[in-house]
């Protein structure tokens, strides 16, 4: 059989398309999204989401793949943003023929250089020591951003105009949609490269160092060197995310390098699931949606996000992605229908319990910040009077009753899941 026959697809080509099909589909879908959305707010949320996807996946290269808990990874995100915004201003002032699409490379280079500098000594140790060093570096850079105001702009930050660089393919990036295309293309490139890195020998050995560093040393791999390489690559992609942040918002402040930003990326990684490559993506999407949607309805949205994080760590340490993957064997044998009833029996009272808890929290917050003469608050579309006992009694009953019924239904859910899982594995065995 001739290999020159154009009608014959070689196994290598077939494997290539099969491996990259999901990336091509993601590219097509993401490029079509602006045509389906007419809201500028929705596009702005998607831009923020894509930036945080890059940052969180980069962070998970440390935490999930390398076992390094960092409390200061916003350093490389923020410094990438600072260098990017300064480059944008330099392009505008000197009329350099550099389009804005290459600016993220400068952010990535800044993240790479500073990751080499700080990683050269911080990755010598793992565990708690590494975490404390990362925290110290984060606080050092955050304080420096308020001291060296010539570079960082102090509390006011540094601003720029992304339309100053020359156009790229006719786009000046003045609109949210044009910026969306820029960010999405960079997101796909960055996430794809990080995925390929996780499949390289270095990425695999990073998993081995995470799980058993002594054994990795025994077979000839330096755990320090492996941690350093992972740290440097992670810092580079965090810098790319920071540069895209600078392009999107046209301002970089001290907040991009401080502990809050480092804490946010940690939350996103854990909520999504640090044990899976797709986990940080899920976490970034969910967190951005929670932040955007909840902040429109309540001032204590961060409190609810904290509750979600605590509940995830306590009851779903594998994250939301882990919960999905737990059901993969059951889905494969078509037994998910057996879990619908038990899940409804526990989720319905759980939702009632959540409504009661939210009502109580919102009322408590309302009476602590209300102005003089204010007594009514809109909760779930209903005006309630916080000075009367009835709203408190109603939400209290919902909280207690929902929790009691959910607690009673929980054992039957566990039994149903275990039974379905046993069927799945016995079916595989056959």
């Amino acid at each position: 059989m001739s290999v020159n026959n154009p009608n014959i697809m070689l196994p290598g080509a077939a494997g290539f398309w099969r491996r990259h099909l999901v990336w091509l589909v993601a590219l097509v879908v993401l490029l079509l999204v602006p045509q389906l959305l007419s809201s500028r707010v929705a596009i702005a949320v998607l831009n923020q989401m894509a930036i945080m996807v890059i940052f969180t996946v980069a962070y998970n290269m440390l935490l999930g793949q390398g076992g390094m808990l960092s409390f200061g990874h916003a350093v490389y995100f923020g410094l990438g943003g600072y260098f990017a915004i300064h480059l944008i201003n330099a392009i505008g002032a000197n009329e350099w023929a550099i389009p804005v699409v290459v600016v993220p490379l400068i952010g990535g280079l800044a993240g790479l250089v500073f990751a080499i500098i700080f990683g050269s000594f911080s990755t010598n140790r793992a565990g708690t020591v590494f975490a404390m060093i990362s925290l110290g570096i984060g606080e050092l850079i955050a304080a420096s951003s308020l001291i060296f105001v010539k570079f960082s702009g102090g509390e006011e930050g540094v601003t720029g105009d992304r339309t100053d660089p020359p156009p790229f393919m006719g786009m000046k990036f003045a609109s949210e949609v044009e910026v969306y295309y820029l960010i999405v293309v960079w997101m796909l490139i960055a996430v794809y490269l990080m995925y390929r890195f996780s499949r390289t020998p270095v990425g695999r050995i990073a998993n081995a160092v995470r799980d058993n560093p002594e054994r990795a040393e025994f077979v000839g791999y330096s755990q320090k060197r492996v941690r350093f390489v992972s740290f440097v690559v992670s810092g580079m992609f965090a810098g790319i995310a920071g540069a895209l942040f600078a392009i999107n918002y046209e301002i970089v402040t001290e907040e991009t390098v401080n502990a809050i930003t480092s804490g946010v990326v940690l939350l996103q990684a854990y909520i999504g699931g640090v044990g899976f490559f797709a986990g940080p993506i899920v976490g970034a999407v969910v967190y951005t949606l929670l932040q955007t949607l909840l902040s429109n309805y309540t001032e204590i949205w961060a409190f609810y996000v904290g509750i979600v994080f605590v509940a995830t760590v306590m009851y779903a340490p594998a994250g939301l992605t882990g919960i999905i993957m737990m059901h993969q064997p059951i889905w494969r044998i078509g037994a998910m229908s057996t879990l619908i009833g038990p899940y409804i029996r526990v989720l319905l009272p759980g939702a009632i319990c959540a409504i009661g808890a939210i009502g109580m929290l919102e009322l408590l917050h309302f009476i602590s910040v209300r102005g003089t003469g204010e007594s009514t608050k809109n909760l779930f579309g209903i005006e309630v009077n916080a000075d009367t006992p009835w709203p408190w009694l109603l939400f209290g009953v919902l909280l207690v009753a929902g929790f009691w019924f959910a607690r009673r239904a929980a054992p039957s859910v566990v039994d149903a899941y275990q039974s379905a899982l046993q069927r799945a594995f016995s079916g595989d065995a056959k």
Side-chain angles (χ1 to χ4, degrees), residues 39-105:
S39 172
R40 292 183 57 189
V41 175
I43 298 297
V45 171
L46 290 176
N47 289 344
Q48 179 184 355
M49 195 179 293
I51 293 169
M52 297 312 296
V53 164
I54 301 175
F55 187 24
T56 311
V57 174
Y59 179 78
N60 199 52
M61 294 177 70
L62 293 183
L63 181 58
Q65 298 178 30
M68 293 176 280
L69 176 61
S70 173
F71 293 123
H73 212 56
V75 166
Y76 315 100
F77 177 82
L79 289 175
Y82 274 121
F83 277 89
I85 203 74
H86 281 299
L87 176 61
I88 291 174
N89 290 332
I91 293 172
N94 298 283
E95 297 184 353
W96 293 341
I98 302 176
V100 74
V101 294
V102 302
V103 170
L105 292 176

Side-chain angles (χ1 to χ4, degrees), residues 182-224:
L182 169 64
I183 294 175
V184 160
V185 171
W186 267 106
M187 180 195 72
L188 288 174
I189 293 173
V191 173
Y192 175 76
L193 292 177
M194 285 186 279
Y195 175 78
R196 298 306 302 171
F197 177 82
S198 69
R199 297 300 186 267
T200 62
V202 176
R204 297 297 189 184
I205 294 301
N207 299 155
V209 170
R210 173 199 63 196
D211 298 333
N212 197 324
E214 291 79 11
R215 181 169 293 182
E217 289 272 7
F218 181 77
V219 297
Y221 293 97
S222 169
Q223 56 176 302
K224 296 179 182 178

